[in-house]
Amino acid sequence: MTTHGGRRRTQAERDAITVEIGYALFSAAFAAAVVFGAVAGPAFLFDLPGPLETLLVRAALVVAPVLFAVRVVSVLMRFRRSAQPSQPGRTSPDS
């Protein structure tokens, strides 16, 4: 449980990381569900030709997990960049 500088993380830092991971997972799951519904929804709601229905469902099954992974990584990378001060031992100017 140490950061890059070798010091131990405080409880507040660990809590912030936990909250950010939860936010990343929840927002990614929500976005993936919305995209899955938008892409595969017409296949379930309307009587479409068989190949088109299959194409929509398979496209949704590919796009949704990719979106989930991209969203989780982007949120956590943004948190990682914003959590580090600009100079060691000093707070960042916007804090």
Side-chain angles (χ1 to χ4, degrees):
M1 285 260 155
T2 61
T3 60
H4 183 66
R7 67 176 179 84
R8 293 189 63 79
R9 291 187 177 135
T10 65
Q11 184 63 42
E13 289 171 328
R14 290 193 305 268
D15 290 346
I17 292 168
T18 301
V19 168
E20 199 66 21
I21 290 170
Y23 169 72
L25 293 173
F26 180 79
S27 66
F30 181 77
V34 168
V35 168
F36 181 85
V39 175
F44 298 127
L45 293 175
F46 304 113
D47 189 25
L48 299 175
L52 180 59
E53 197 172 293
T54 303
L55 176 69
L56 287 174
V57 172
R58 287 184 181 172
L61 287 172
V62 169
V63 172
V66 169
L67 175 67
F68 180 86
V70 168
R71 176 69 181 161
V72 168
V73 169
S74 68
V75 168
L76 294 179
M77 292 302 290
R78 186 178 60 222
F79 175 74
R80 182 176 177 207
R81 280 193 307 264
S82 69
Q84 297 176 353
S86 57
Q87 296 176 348
R90 299 183 183 204
T91 59
S92 60
D94 59 344
S95 62

